[in-house]
Amino acid sequence: MSDPQKTFPVSWEELHRNAKALAWRLIEQGPFNGIVAVTRGGLVPAAIIARELDVRLIDTVCMQSYSDDHAQGQIKVLKEVPGDGEGWLIIDDLVDTGRTARVVRDMLPKAHFATIYAKPSGRPLVDTFVTEVSQDTWIYFPWDIELQFAQPIAKQKRG
């Protein structure tokens, strides 16, 4: 997605609230043996969800799929997790096109896969999510942005 049509900035408070909402949806699915966070986006949500579900065992699947210009490139698996995922919970911030989710799902087919945000193309690959956003929306997570002046919408439309 090199030229998103819409942007959706997410604050730390909103992310925390949505991660907690995801934990509420997951509580009946467990208990889980542990959590697998998909790096890097799944790290912060996984920490919040681990606290809320009282899960102490956390591992990571390390992936690289986006470049700095928002383009989704070739997926590189930097670190895997052994096993088939039975009894485990996979956490990521977002499922977008589903390319990364497919790699993780193939790696851990028996795990429960949950994300905070889901776009239509990737939604079928996750078991649980909180908020659906349109495919043409780029989500700016709080670790990717800084506070700065923003032009009013009316001025953006004129320019």
Side-chain angles (χ1 to χ4, degrees), residues 106-121:
D106 289 347
M107 189 185 304
L108 302 166
K110 293 185 178 178
H112 187 94
F113 202 148
T115 62
I116 295 177
Y117 301 100
K119 293 185 180 181
S121 292

Side-chain angles (χ1 to χ4, degrees), residues 66-97:
Y66 284 99
S67 63
D68 291 336
D69 66 353
H70 304 172
Q72 198 171 32
Q74 182 178 0
I75 296 172
K76 295 179 190 170
V77 178
L78 307 173
K79 177 186 172 288
E80 295 186 39
V81 172
D84 61 8
E86 187 165 358
W88 283 76
L89 172 62
I90 301 166
I91 297 291
D92 205 353
D93 55 354
L94 162 75
V95 60
D96 190 331
T97 63

Side-chain angles (χ1 to χ4, degrees), residues 14-26 49 92-95 113-119 123 126-133:
E14 186 175 6
L15 181 82
H16 187 264
R17 200 170 34 252
N18 286 332
K20 202 164 180 175
L22 183 56
W24 274 109
R25 292 185 184 186
L26 293 168
I49 291 162
D92 205 353
D93 55 354
L94 162 75
V95 60
F113 202 148
T115 62
I116 295 177
Y117 301 100
K119 293 185 180 181
R123 196 178 88 193
V126 297
D127 301 304
T128 306
F129 67 93
V130 174
T131 302
E132 184 169 353
V133 296

Side-chain angles (χ1 to χ4, degrees), residues 6-19 41 44-45 48 93-94 116-119 130-133 137-147:
K6 301 174 211 152
T7 59
F8 181 62
V10 176
S11 69
W12 285 109
E13 292 82 6
E14 186 175 6
L15 181 82
H16 187 264
R17 200 170 34 252
N18 286 332
V44 172
I48 296 165
D93 55 354
L94 162 75
I116 295 177
Y117 301 100
K119 293 185 180 181
V130 174
T131 302
E132 184 169 353
V133 296
T137 298
W138 183 263
I139 299 174
Y140 285 104
F141 288 97
W143 49 82
D144 292 328
I145 57 178
E146 295 178 334
L147 292 178

